[in-house]
Amino acid sequence: MDNTSNDPWQMGLDSGRVKLLSPAGYLFTGIYLTVLGILAVAGNGLVFIVLTRKRVLRRKPHNMLLINMAAADLVITVFGYPFTTLSSYMNKYVFGWFYCILQGFLTSLCAIGTMNTLVVISVYRYIAVSKPQWKHLLTFELTCKVLLFVWVFTLFWTVAPLLGWNSYTIEPFGTSCSIDWTTDDPFDIIYIYCFVGLFYVSNILVMSFCYYHIVKKSKLLGMMKSTSFNGDDAKTPPSDDCRSEGYRILVLVYFVVWSPYAWASILSVYDHNLPIWATTLPTMFAKLASMLNPFVYIATNSSFKDAARDFFCDKRNRVHSLAHDRDNKTNG
């Protein structure tokens, strides 16, 4: 019985779709993804645990969005990256079509869910800073409805390849699976343009609009404070609504890590023989997003750092208390 029908790597190799990296290239990819995965799990796990630990934090609308991002990135790193990492060490994709499709679906679902959540965060920050009269509308209940819409919308577009509009298949470097960017079917190509337009171009436009106005309003508030005759007011630190540096960096990270992948995807529609580096490097670069998102937030949000410090202090105190109780029982 021929088992190649259940081997996406062999079929990709036979069809010319898969172009082999060198053994050193596969080894480097495996090491890179191992380090990336460990850091991503640690960073996203910390954000998720700290923000869900305290009710006062998880009930804040913008923190709900961050919890959603952290959870999605955790799913990618725990259930998506291991397929590519193990396959990289083996120099070929070692799982069958079922896992190839599962990996493509899960990573696409969670990556797009994270992208869409970043757009929502941008809109929330825009309202909080530039349209404060609407800020009262950003409630916990509204955020729940927004997140439901985000995931239903994302699910619609990522389930479509499972139902025949495009498909999930082996990527050209042979150790990962994603949407078929090299299809010749006109109907599937329409899906690619819709996908890139909706989740890259439109997202960049919306986030750029939001942060242009945020920066503009923040500078205006800064000028008003600098010209104030009240010395105390001039020394007052900016409000949390104006501290959007971390969110702006998240948008910059989004643009930097996803732009090469978006362009490589579009180029693949017209040129099926792109050099292997032109498809591998953008894919590996895009995987940085799941690791960078939590660390940008951790580094730029003082409230989170205070909550994380309290979390570790509580853990340390609990460990000391247990050790003290154990010593007392031993001495007793």
Side-chain angles (χ1 to χ4, degrees):
M1 181 178 179
D2 187 4
N3 292 324
T4 59
S5 61
N6 194 41
D7 187 346
W9 184 83
Q10 187 61 51
M11 290 185 68
L13 195 62
D14 293 341
S15 66
R17 178 185 181 85
V18 169
K19 302 172 184 178
L20 299 179
L21 297 175
S22 66
Y26 282 121
L27 178 61
F28 175 80
T29 300
I31 295 172
Y32 167 80
L33 291 174
T34 300
V35 174
L36 203 67
I38 292 172
L39 292 176
V41 169
N44 287 294
L46 178 62
V47 170
F48 185 83
I49 291 171
V50 171
L51 291 182
T52 56
R53 178 174 170 267
K54 291 187 177 181
R55 180 180 175 84
V56 67
L57 289 178
R58 67 174 180 267
R59 294 287 295 185
K60 290 184 177 180
H62 67 279
N63 282 343
M64 287 182 60
L65 299 173
L66 293 168
I67 291 170
N68 182 72
M69 281 181 55
D73 284 335
L74 276 173
V75 171
I76 292 175
T77 53
V78 173
F79 297 102
Y81 286 6
F83 292 108
T84 304
T85 304
L86 291 174
S87 296
S88 295
Y89 286 124
M90 298 295 291
N91 289 8
K92 69 174 187 176
Y93 196 77
V94 293
F95 304 95
W97 273 115
F98 175 80
Y99 293 103
C100 181
I101 294 171
L102 178 64
Q103 179 192 15
F105 170 70
L106 279 179
T107 53
S108 295
L109 175 69
C110 294
I112 299 303
T114 299
M115 294 178 186
N116 291 339
T117 304
L118 270 175
V119 175
V120 176
I121 290 174
S122 301
V123 174
Y124 270 49
R125 302 308 295 174
Y126 166 74
I127 292 174
V129 176
S130 300
K131 302 291 182 181
Q133 67 272 22
W134 298 345
K135 186 179 177 181
H136 69 281
L137 299 175
L138 305 180
T139 62
F140 177 85
E141 290 73 19
L142 175 67
T143 305
C144 289
K145 294 177 182 177
V146 169
L147 286 176
L148 178 61
F149 172 79
V150 163
W151 284 109
V152 169
F153 181 68
T154 302
L155 195 62
F156 171 82
W157 285 97
T158 51
V159 165
L162 299 178
L163 302 178
W165 192 12
N166 205 289
S167 61
Y168 294 111
T169 188
I170 192 80
E171 293 198 81
F173 51 91
T175 58
S176 180
C177 296
S178 70
I179 291 168
D180 186 359
W181 302 107
T182 60
T183 178
D184 292 317
D185 188 318
F187 191 56
D188 290 346
I189 292 174
I190 292 174
Y191 174 87
I192 292 173
Y193 276 104
C194 290
F195 196 88
V196 174
L198 283 172
F199 302 123
Y200 175 73
V201 177
S202 63
N203 285 2
I204 290 292
L205 291 176
V206 171
M207 290 189 288
S208 297
F209 170 85
C210 291
Y211 285 107
Y212 168 78
H213 288 282
I214 289 171
V215 171
K216 185 177 179 180
K217 184 63 176 288
S218 298
K219 287 182 177 179
L220 177 61
L221 293 175
M223 291 174 61
M224 291 173 62
K225 285 193 173 186
S226 65
T227 57
S228 174
F229 291 100
N230 188 330
D232 292 336
D233 289 344
K235 296 178 182 178
T236 302
S239 66
D240 182 64
D241 290 338
C242 295
R243 289 176 178 171
S244 300
E245 292 83 1
Y247 296 100
R248 289 200 293 270
I249 295 174
L250 283 175
V251 174
L252 180 62
V253 167
Y254 177 95
F255 178 77
V256 170
V257 303
W258 285 109
S259 291
Y261 188 80
W263 283 108
S265 300
I266 292 297
L267 288 175
S268 296
V269 175
Y270 298 100
D271 186 356
H272 298 350
N273 295 308
L274 289 174
I276 190 61
W277 64 265
T279 55
T280 305
L281 292 181
T283 301
M284 295 300 121
F285 203 53
K287 293 182 184 298
L288 278 170
S290 295
M291 184 273 287
L292 290 176
N293 286 339
F295 285 102
V296 169
Y297 181 69
I298 291 170
T300 57
N301 189 285
S302 57
S303 298
F304 177 84
K305 284 188 280 191
D306 291 340
R309 191 179 300 112
D310 292 341
F311 171 77
F312 285 113
C313 286
D314 290 345
K315 287 291 184 183
R316 184 178 60 185
N317 292 336
R318 187 174 301 175
V319 170
H320 288 168
S321 177
L322 291 173
H324 180 71
D325 292 343
R326 185 173 61 252
D327 291 341
N328 289 337
K329 289 181 179 178
T330 302
N331 294 332

mmCIF file of all heavy atoms in Angstrom, residues 264-308:
data_model
loop_
_atom_site.group_PDB
_atom_site.id
_atom_site.type_symbol
_atom_site.label_atom_id
_atom_site.label_comp_id
_atom_site.label_asym_id
_atom_site.label_seq_id
_atom_site.Cartn_x
_atom_site.Cartn_y
_atom_site.Cartn_z
ATOM 1 N N ALA A 264 5.272 38.343 0.497
ATOM 2 C CA ALA A 264 5.703 37.045 -0.031
ATOM 3 C C ALA A 264 4.498 36.218 -0.473
ATOM 4 O O ALA A 264 4.562 35.494 -1.480
ATOM 5 C CB ALA A 264 6.511 36.288 1.018
ATOM 6 N N SER A 265 3.409 36.326 0.263
ATOM 7 C CA SER A 265 2.201 35.578 -0.082
ATOM 8 C C SER A 265 1.629 36.046 -1.413
ATOM 9 O O SER A 265 1.232 35.228 -2.255
ATOM 10 C CB SER A 265 1.157 35.748 1.027
ATOM 11 O OG SER A 265 1.652 35.262 2.262
ATOM 12 N N ILE A 266 1.571 37.360 -1.606
ATOM 13 C CA ILE A 266 1.055 37.890 -2.866
ATOM 14 C C ILE A 266 1.976 37.529 -4.035
ATOM 15 O O ILE A 266 1.527 37.139 -5.110
ATOM 16 C CB ILE A 266 0.886 39.417 -2.767
ATOM 17 C CG1 ILE A 266 -0.233 39.764 -1.778
ATOM 18 C CG2 ILE A 266 0.584 40.022 -4.133
ATOM 19 C CD1 ILE A 266 -1.602 39.259 -2.187
ATOM 20 N N LEU A 267 3.286 37.637 -3.808
ATOM 21 C CA LEU A 267 4.240 37.290 -4.868
ATOM 22 C C LEU A 267 4.126 35.821 -5.256
ATOM 23 O O LEU A 267 4.312 35.456 -6.428
ATOM 24 C CB LEU A 267 5.663 37.602 -4.413
ATOM 25 C CG LEU A 267 6.041 39.090 -4.328
ATOM 26 C CD1 LEU A 267 7.432 39.242 -3.739
ATOM 27 C CD2 LEU A 267 5.964 39.746 -5.706
ATOM 28 N N SER A 268 3.805 34.971 -4.256
ATOM 29 C CA SER A 268 3.697 33.530 -4.532
ATOM 30 C C SER A 268 2.553 33.215 -5.490
ATOM 31 O O SER A 268 2.573 32.191 -6.184
ATOM 32 C CB SER A 268 3.497 32.763 -3.221
ATOM 33 O OG SER A 268 4.621 32.887 -2.381
ATOM 34 N N VAL A 269 1.547 34.087 -5.522
ATOM 35 C CA VAL A 269 0.431 33.880 -6.450
ATOM 36 C C VAL A 269 0.916 33.962 -7.893
ATOM 37 O O VAL A 269 0.462 33.214 -8.764
ATOM 38 C CB VAL A 269 -0.673 34.932 -6.197
ATOM 39 C CG1 VAL A 269 -1.778 34.809 -7.247
ATOM 40 C CG2 VAL A 269 -1.255 34.764 -4.795
ATOM 41 N N TYR A 270 1.867 34.851 -8.149
ATOM 42 C CA TYR A 270 2.316 35.104 -9.517
ATOM 43 C C TYR A 270 3.616 34.382 -9.868
ATOM 44 O O TYR A 270 3.916 34.187 -11.042
ATOM 45 C CB TYR A 270 2.515 36.608 -9.726
ATOM 46 C CG TYR A 270 1.237 37.384 -9.551
ATOM 47 C CD1 TYR A 270 0.960 38.059 -8.364
ATOM 48 C CD2 TYR A 270 0.286 37.417 -10.574
ATOM 49 C CE1 TYR A 270 -0.225 38.757 -8.204
ATOM 50 C CE2 TYR A 270 -0.900 38.115 -10.418
ATOM 51 C CZ TYR A 270 -1.154 38.785 -9.235
ATOM 52 O OH TYR A 270 -2.329 39.463 -9.068
ATOM 53 N N ASP A 271 4.367 34.017 -8.858
ATOM 54 C CA ASP A 271 5.640 33.328 -9.110
ATOM 55 C C ASP A 271 5.746 32.127 -8.188
ATOM 56 O O ASP A 271 6.025 32.269 -6.994
ATOM 57 C CB ASP A 271 6.811 34.291 -8.886
ATOM 58 C CG ASP A 271 8.155 33.674 -9.276
ATOM 59 O OD1 ASP A 271 8.177 32.488 -9.650
ATOM 60 O OD2 ASP A 271 9.176 34.390 -9.197
ATOM 61 N N HIS A 272 5.521 30.947 -8.732
ATOM 62 C CA HIS A 272 5.563 29.724 -7.931
ATOM 63 C C HIS A 272 6.992 29.241 -7.692
ATOM 64 O O HIS A 272 7.202 28.249 -6.993
ATOM 65 C CB HIS A 272 4.774 28.612 -8.609
ATOM 66 C CG HIS A 272 3.309 28.918 -8.764
ATOM 67 N ND1 HIS A 272 2.705 29.995 -8.162
ATOM 68 C CD2 HIS A 272 2.329 28.274 -9.466
ATOM 69 C CE1 HIS A 272 1.411 30.011 -8.466
ATOM 70 N NE2 HIS A 272 1.157 28.977 -9.260
ATOM 71 N N ASN A 273 7.960 29.930 -8.273
ATOM 72 C CA ASN A 273 9.350 29.491 -8.154
ATOM 73 C C ASN A 273 10.207 30.518 -7.420
ATOM 74 O O ASN A 273 11.372 30.732 -7.768
ATOM 75 C CB ASN A 273 9.932 29.234 -9.553
ATOM 76 C CG ASN A 273 9.239 28.085 -10.259
ATOM 77 O OD1 ASN A 273 9.122 26.995 -9.708
ATOM 78 N ND2 ASN A 273 8.776 28.334 -11.474
ATOM 79 N N LEU A 274 9.627 31.139 -6.415
ATOM 80 C CA LEU A 274 10.400 32.064 -5.605
ATOM 81 C C LEU A 274 11.551 31.324 -4.923
ATOM 82 O O LEU A 274 11.419 30.144 -4.585
ATOM 83 C CB LEU A 274 9.517 32.706 -4.533
ATOM 84 C CG LEU A 274 8.478 33.734 -4.995
ATOM 85 C CD1 LEU A 274 7.602 34.143 -3.807
ATOM 86 C CD2 LEU A 274 9.140 34.954 -5.605
ATOM 87 N N PRO A 275 12.680 31.990 -4.719
ATOM 88 C CA PRO A 275 13.779 31.344 -3.980
ATOM 89 C C PRO A 275 13.292 30.875 -2.620
ATOM 90 O O PRO A 275 12.413 31.501 -2.005
ATOM 91 C CB PRO A 275 14.821 32.460 -3.856
ATOM 92 C CG PRO A 275 14.487 33.420 -4.950
ATOM 93 C CD PRO A 275 13.003 33.357 -5.134
ATOM 94 N N ILE A 276 13.864 29.799 -2.130
ATOM 95 C CA ILE A 276 13.382 29.216 -0.880
ATOM 96 C C ILE A 276 13.496 30.193 0.295
ATOM 97 O O ILE A 276 12.656 30.211 1.182
ATOM 98 C CB ILE A 276 14.122 27.892 -0.580
ATOM 99 C CG1 ILE A 276 13.460 27.158 0.584
ATOM 100 C CG2 ILE A 276 15.598 28.149 -0.329
ATOM 101 C CD1 ILE A 276 12.031 26.769 0.345
ATOM 102 N N TRP A 277 14.535 31.043 0.276
ATOM 103 C CA TRP A 277 14.687 32.020 1.353
ATOM 104 C C TRP A 277 13.565 33.035 1.341
ATOM 105 O O TRP A 277 13.197 33.598 2.392
ATOM 106 C CB TRP A 277 16.045 32.718 1.261
ATOM 107 C CG TRP A 277 16.241 33.540 0.007
ATOM 108 C CD1 TRP A 277 16.850 33.146 -1.142
ATOM 109 C CD2 TRP A 277 15.816 34.887 -0.210
ATOM 110 N NE1 TRP A 277 16.833 34.150 -2.076
ATOM 111 C CE2 TRP A 277 16.205 35.236 -1.531
ATOM 112 C CE3 TRP A 277 15.148 35.826 0.572
ATOM 113 C CZ2 TRP A 277 15.937 36.488 -2.081
ATOM 114 C CZ3 TRP A 277 14.880 37.074 0.027
ATOM 115 C CH2 TRP A 277 15.271 37.406 -1.282
ATOM 116 N N ALA A 278 12.990 33.297 0.160
ATOM 117 C CA ALA A 278 11.937 34.310 0.030
ATOM 118 C C ALA A 278 10.617 33.854 0.633
ATOM 119 O O ALA A 278 9.732 34.675 0.894
ATOM 120 C CB ALA A 278 11.740 34.671 -1.439
ATOM 121 N N THR A 279 10.469 32.558 0.853
ATOM 122 C CA THR A 279 9.266 32.053 1.514
ATOM 123 C C THR A 279 9.542 31.627 2.958
ATOM 124 O O THR A 279 8.667 31.726 3.817
ATOM 125 C CB THR A 279 8.690 30.854 0.734
ATOM 126 O OG1 THR A 279 9.698 29.850 0.585
ATOM 127 C CG2 THR A 279 8.215 31.289 -0.632
ATOM 128 N N THR A 280 10.760 31.176 3.222
ATOM 129 C CA THR A 280 11.096 30.704 4.568
ATOM 130 C C THR A 280 11.297 31.856 5.547
ATOM 131 O O THR A 280 10.713 31.862 6.647
ATOM 132 C CB THR A 280 12.372 29.841 4.541
ATOM 133 O OG1 THR A 280 12.217 28.784 3.609
ATOM 134 C CG2 THR A 280 12.650 29.262 5.923
ATOM 135 N N LEU A 281 12.115 32.832 5.183
ATOM 136 C CA LEU A 281 12.428 33.930 6.098
ATOM 137 C C LEU A 281 11.192 34.739 6.501
ATOM 138 O O LEU A 281 11.009 35.029 7.692
ATOM 139 C CB LEU A 281 13.496 34.845 5.487
ATOM 140 C CG LEU A 281 14.896 34.225 5.343
ATOM 141 C CD1 LEU A 281 15.869 35.247 4.752
ATOM 142 C CD2 LEU A 281 15.407 33.731 6.691
ATOM 143 N N PRO A 282 10.305 35.126 5.578
ATOM 144 C CA PRO A 282 9.097 35.842 6.012
ATOM 145 C C PRO A 282 8.226 35.036 6.977
ATOM 146 O O PRO A 282 7.648 35.588 7.913
ATOM 147 C CB PRO A 282 8.359 36.119 4.693
ATOM 148 C CG PRO A 282 9.430 36.149 3.669
ATOM 149 C CD PRO A 282 10.407 35.091 4.102
ATOM 150 N N THR A 283 8.145 33.720 6.730
ATOM 151 C CA THR A 283 7.349 32.872 7.624
ATOM 152 C C THR A 283 7.954 32.832 9.026
ATOM 153 O O THR A 283 7.242 32.971 10.030
ATOM 154 C CB THR A 283 7.260 31.440 7.063
ATOM 155 O OG1 THR A 283 6.666 31.481 5.766
ATOM 156 C CG2 THR A 283 6.408 30.562 7.973
ATOM 157 N N MET A 284 9.264 32.635 9.108
ATOM 158 C CA MET A 284 9.930 32.604 10.403
ATOM 159 C C MET A 284 9.853 33.961 11.104
ATOM 160 O O MET A 284 9.694 34.040 12.321
ATOM 161 C CB MET A 284 11.395 32.200 10.233
ATOM 162 C CG MET A 284 11.604 30.777 9.729
ATOM 163 S SD MET A 284 10.901 29.540 10.856
ATOM 164 C CE MET A 284 9.729 28.725 9.750
ATOM 165 N N PHE A 285 9.932 35.027 10.320
ATOM 166 C CA PHE A 285 9.858 36.378 10.883
ATOM 167 C C PHE A 285 8.473 36.641 11.460
ATOM 168 O O PHE A 285 8.337 37.239 12.531
ATOM 169 C CB PHE A 285 10.193 37.393 9.788
ATOM 170 C CG PHE A 285 10.670 38.707 10.320
ATOM 171 C CD1 PHE A 285 11.722 38.777 11.222
ATOM 172 C CD2 PHE A 285 10.070 39.892 9.920
ATOM 173 C CE1 PHE A 285 12.173 39.985 11.713
ATOM 174 C CE2 PHE A 285 10.512 41.112 10.397
ATOM 175 C CZ PHE A 285 11.562 41.160 11.303
ATOM 176 N N ALA A 286 7.434 36.184 10.756
ATOM 177 C CA ALA A 286 6.059 36.397 11.231
ATOM 178 C C ALA A 286 5.807 35.692 12.558
ATOM 179 O O ALA A 286 4.990 36.141 13.371
ATOM 180 C CB ALA A 286 5.065 35.914 10.172
ATOM 181 N N LYS A 287 6.521 34.588 12.789
ATOM 182 C CA LYS A 287 6.328 33.841 14.030
ATOM 183 C C LYS A 287 6.839 34.614 15.250
ATOM 184 O O LYS A 287 6.549 34.236 16.387
ATOM 185 C CB LYS A 287 7.007 32.473 13.929
ATOM 186 C CG LYS A 287 6.343 31.550 12.904
ATOM 187 C CD LYS A 287 6.990 30.192 12.850
ATOM 188 C CE LYS A 287 6.387 29.315 11.755
ATOM 189 N NZ LYS A 287 4.955 29.042 11.955
ATOM 190 N N LEU A 288 7.591 35.677 15.028
ATOM 191 C CA LEU A 288 8.043 36.523 16.131
ATOM 192 C C LEU A 288 6.883 37.206 16.844
ATOM 193 O O LEU A 288 6.987 37.567 18.022
ATOM 194 C CB LEU A 288 9.002 37.604 15.620
ATOM 195 C CG LEU A 288 10.465 37.232 15.405
ATOM 196 C CD1 LEU A 288 11.183 38.346 14.673
ATOM 197 C CD2 LEU A 288 11.144 36.953 16.739
ATOM 198 N N ALA A 289 5.779 37.416 16.130
ATOM 199 C CA ALA A 289 4.672 38.188 16.686
ATOM 200 C C ALA A 289 4.170 37.615 18.003
ATOM 201 O O ALA A 289 3.929 38.345 18.963
ATOM 202 C CB ALA A 289 3.531 38.258 15.671
ATOM 203 N N SER A 290 4.023 36.294 18.064
ATOM 204 C CA SER A 290 3.485 35.672 19.278
ATOM 205 C C SER A 290 4.410 35.838 20.472
ATOM 206 O O SER A 290 3.958 35.833 21.619
ATOM 207 C CB SER A 290 3.239 34.177 19.038
ATOM 208 O OG SER A 290 2.237 33.990 18.071
ATOM 209 N N MET A 291 5.709 35.997 20.218
ATOM 210 C CA MET A 291 6.665 36.186 21.299
ATOM 211 C C MET A 291 6.797 37.651 21.686
ATOM 212 O O MET A 291 6.883 37.997 22.866
ATOM 213 C CB MET A 291 8.025 35.623 20.894
ATOM 214 C CG MET A 291 9.087 35.672 21.995
ATOM 215 S SD MET A 291 10.010 37.231 22.056
ATOM 216 C CE MET A 291 11.030 37.059 20.597
ATOM 217 N N LEU A 292 6.780 38.543 20.696
ATOM 218 C CA LEU A 292 7.018 39.964 20.972
ATOM 219 C C LEU A 292 5.837 40.653 21.639
ATOM 220 O O LEU A 292 6.030 41.550 22.469
ATOM 221 C CB LEU A 292 7.370 40.688 19.664
ATOM 222 C CG LEU A 292 8.728 40.352 19.054
ATOM 223 C CD1 LEU A 292 8.895 41.070 17.719
ATOM 224 C CD2 LEU A 292 9.859 40.739 20.006
ATOM 225 N N ASN A 293 4.610 40.274 21.283
ATOM 226 C CA ASN A 293 3.436 40.962 21.824
ATOM 227 C C ASN A 293 3.443 41.070 23.348
ATOM 228 O O ASN A 293 3.293 42.171 23.895
ATOM 229 C CB ASN A 293 2.152 40.271 21.350
ATOM 230 C CG ASN A 293 1.853 40.542 19.894
ATOM 231 O OD1 ASN A 293 2.331 41.515 19.320
ATOM 232 N ND2 ASN A 293 1.061 39.676 19.276
ATOM 233 N N PRO A 294 3.601 39.965 24.078
ATOM 234 C CA PRO A 294 3.550 40.087 25.540
ATOM 235 C C PRO A 294 4.719 40.871 26.110
ATOM 236 O O PRO A 294 4.547 41.616 27.086
ATOM 237 C CB PRO A 294 3.575 38.630 26.017
ATOM 238 C CG PRO A 294 4.225 37.872 24.920
ATOM 239 C CD PRO A 294 3.766 38.554 23.657
ATOM 240 N N PHE A 295 5.910 40.734 25.530
ATOM 241 C CA PHE A 295 7.063 41.419 26.098
ATOM 242 C C PHE A 295 7.003 42.924 25.868
ATOM 243 O O PHE A 295 7.476 43.707 26.697
ATOM 244 C CB PHE A 295 8.357 40.828 25.541
ATOM 245 C CG PHE A 295 8.694 39.498 26.141
ATOM 246 C CD1 PHE A 295 8.450 38.331 25.450
ATOM 247 C CD2 PHE A 295 9.220 39.414 27.423
ATOM 248 C CE1 PHE A 295 8.737 37.089 26.017
ATOM 249 C CE2 PHE A 295 9.522 38.186 27.997
ATOM 250 C CZ PHE A 295 9.277 37.018 27.293
ATOM 251 N N VAL A 296 6.423 43.346 24.755
ATOM 252 C CA VAL A 296 6.213 44.782 24.538
ATOM 253 C C VAL A 296 5.268 45.329 25.595
ATOM 254 O O VAL A 296 5.516 46.378 26.201
ATOM 255 C CB VAL A 296 5.647 45.046 23.123
ATOM 256 C CG1 VAL A 296 5.172 46.493 22.991
ATOM 257 C CG2 VAL A 296 6.695 44.750 22.071
ATOM 258 N N TYR A 297 4.201 44.601 25.843
ATOM 259 C CA TYR A 297 3.229 45.061 26.845
ATOM 260 C C TYR A 297 3.835 45.058 28.244
ATOM 261 O O TYR A 297 3.662 46.009 29.007
ATOM 262 C CB TYR A 297 1.991 44.157 26.807
ATOM 263 C CG TYR A 297 0.936 44.588 27.800
ATOM 264 C CD1 TYR A 297 0.241 45.773 27.603
ATOM 265 C CD2 TYR A 297 0.652 43.832 28.927
ATOM 266 C CE1 TYR A 297 -0.715 46.187 28.505
ATOM 267 C CE2 TYR A 297 -0.302 44.239 29.832
ATOM 268 C CZ TYR A 297 -0.992 45.421 29.616
ATOM 269 O OH TYR A 297 -1.923 45.833 30.522
ATOM 270 N N ILE A 298 4.565 44.009 28.579
ATOM 271 C CA ILE A 298 5.196 43.926 29.900
ATOM 272 C C ILE A 298 6.170 45.081 30.110
ATOM 273 O O ILE A 298 6.228 45.691 31.184
ATOM 274 C CB ILE A 298 5.925 42.575 30.058
ATOM 275 C CG1 ILE A 298 4.906 41.419 30.140
ATOM 276 C CG2 ILE A 298 6.801 42.575 31.314
ATOM 277 C CD1 ILE A 298 5.542 40.042 30.049
ATOM 278 N N ALA A 299 6.922 45.416 29.078
ATOM 279 C CA ALA A 299 7.964 46.437 29.197
ATOM 280 C C ALA A 299 7.405 47.851 29.271
ATOM 281 O O ALA A 299 8.061 48.752 29.802
ATOM 282 C CB ALA A 299 8.937 46.334 28.030
ATOM 283 N N THR A 300 6.209 48.077 28.749
ATOM 284 C CA THR A 300 5.723 49.446 28.623
ATOM 285 C C THR A 300 4.530 49.772 29.515
ATOM 286 O O THR A 300 4.089 50.926 29.534
ATOM 287 C CB THR A 300 5.314 49.727 27.168
ATOM 288 O OG1 THR A 300 4.316 48.781 26.751
ATOM 289 C CG2 THR A 300 6.510 49.633 26.242
ATOM 290 N N ASN A 301 4.019 48.821 30.265
ATOM 291 C CA ASN A 301 2.839 49.084 31.087
ATOM 292 C C ASN A 301 3.197 48.983 32.563
ATOM 293 O O ASN A 301 3.457 47.894 33.080
ATOM 294 C CB ASN A 301 1.722 48.091 30.729
ATOM 295 C CG ASN A 301 0.409 48.467 31.384
ATOM 296 O OD1 ASN A 301 0.228 48.280 32.576
ATOM 297 N ND2 ASN A 301 -0.506 49.003 30.592
ATOM 298 N N SER A 302 3.210 50.117 33.233
ATOM 299 C CA SER A 302 3.611 50.149 34.638
ATOM 300 C C SER A 302 2.595 49.455 35.537
ATOM 301 O O SER A 302 2.962 48.825 36.530
ATOM 302 C CB SER A 302 3.816 51.596 35.097
ATOM 303 O OG SER A 302 2.634 52.356 34.894
ATOM 304 N N SER A 303 1.307 49.567 35.204
ATOM 305 C CA SER A 303 0.271 48.913 36.013
ATOM 306 C C SER A 303 0.443 47.403 35.999
ATOM 307 O O SER A 303 0.294 46.732 37.030
ATOM 308 C CB SER A 303 -1.124 49.290 35.501
ATOM 309 O OG SER A 303 -1.348 50.669 35.600
ATOM 310 N N PHE A 304 0.761 46.869 34.817
ATOM 311 C CA PHE A 304 0.973 45.431 34.726
ATOM 312 C C PHE A 304 2.201 45.019 35.520
ATOM 313 O O PHE A 304 2.195 43.987 36.196
ATOM 314 C CB PHE A 304 1.126 44.990 33.267
ATOM 315 C CG PHE A 304 1.409 43.527 33.132
ATOM 316 C CD1 PHE A 304 0.374 42.607 33.134
ATOM 317 C CD2 PHE A 304 2.709 43.057 33.017
ATOM 318 C CE1 PHE A 304 0.628 41.253 33.026
ATOM 319 C CE2 PHE A 304 2.975 41.716 32.904
ATOM 320 C CZ PHE A 304 1.933 40.809 32.907
ATOM 321 N N LYS A 305 3.267 45.809 35.433
ATOM 322 C CA LYS A 305 4.489 45.470 36.158
ATOM 323 C C LYS A 305 4.237 45.458 37.665
ATOM 324 O O LYS A 305 4.769 44.607 38.386
ATOM 325 C CB LYS A 305 5.607 46.449 35.793
ATOM 326 C CG LYS A 305 6.206 46.174 34.420
ATOM 327 C CD LYS A 305 7.426 47.005 34.149
ATOM 328 C CE LYS A 305 7.066 48.402 33.716
ATOM 329 N NZ LYS A 305 8.223 49.157 33.196
ATOM 330 N N ASP A 306 3.415 46.388 38.151
ATOM 331 C CA ASP A 306 3.064 46.393 39.575
ATOM 332 C C ASP A 306 2.278 45.132 39.939
ATOM 333 O O ASP A 306 2.527 44.510 40.980
ATOM 334 C CB ASP A 306 2.233 47.634 39.910
ATOM 335 C CG ASP A 306 3.050 48.920 39.834
ATOM 336 O OD1 ASP A 306 4.293 48.834 39.906
ATOM 337 O OD2 ASP A 306 2.452 49.998 39.680
ATOM 338 N N ALA A 307 1.323 44.759 39.071
ATOM 339 C CA ALA A 307 0.522 43.564 39.334
ATOM 340 C C ALA A 307 1.394 42.308 39.285
ATOM 341 O O ALA A 307 1.223 41.395 40.100
ATOM 342 C CB ALA A 307 -0.608 43.460 38.313
ATOM 343 N N ALA A 308 2.338 42.254 38.327
ATOM 344 C CA ALA A 308 3.237 41.102 38.233
ATOM 345 C C ALA A 308 4.131 41.014 39.456
ATOM 346 O O ALA A 308 4.397 39.924 39.973
ATOM 347 C CB ALA A 308 4.084 41.207 36.958
#
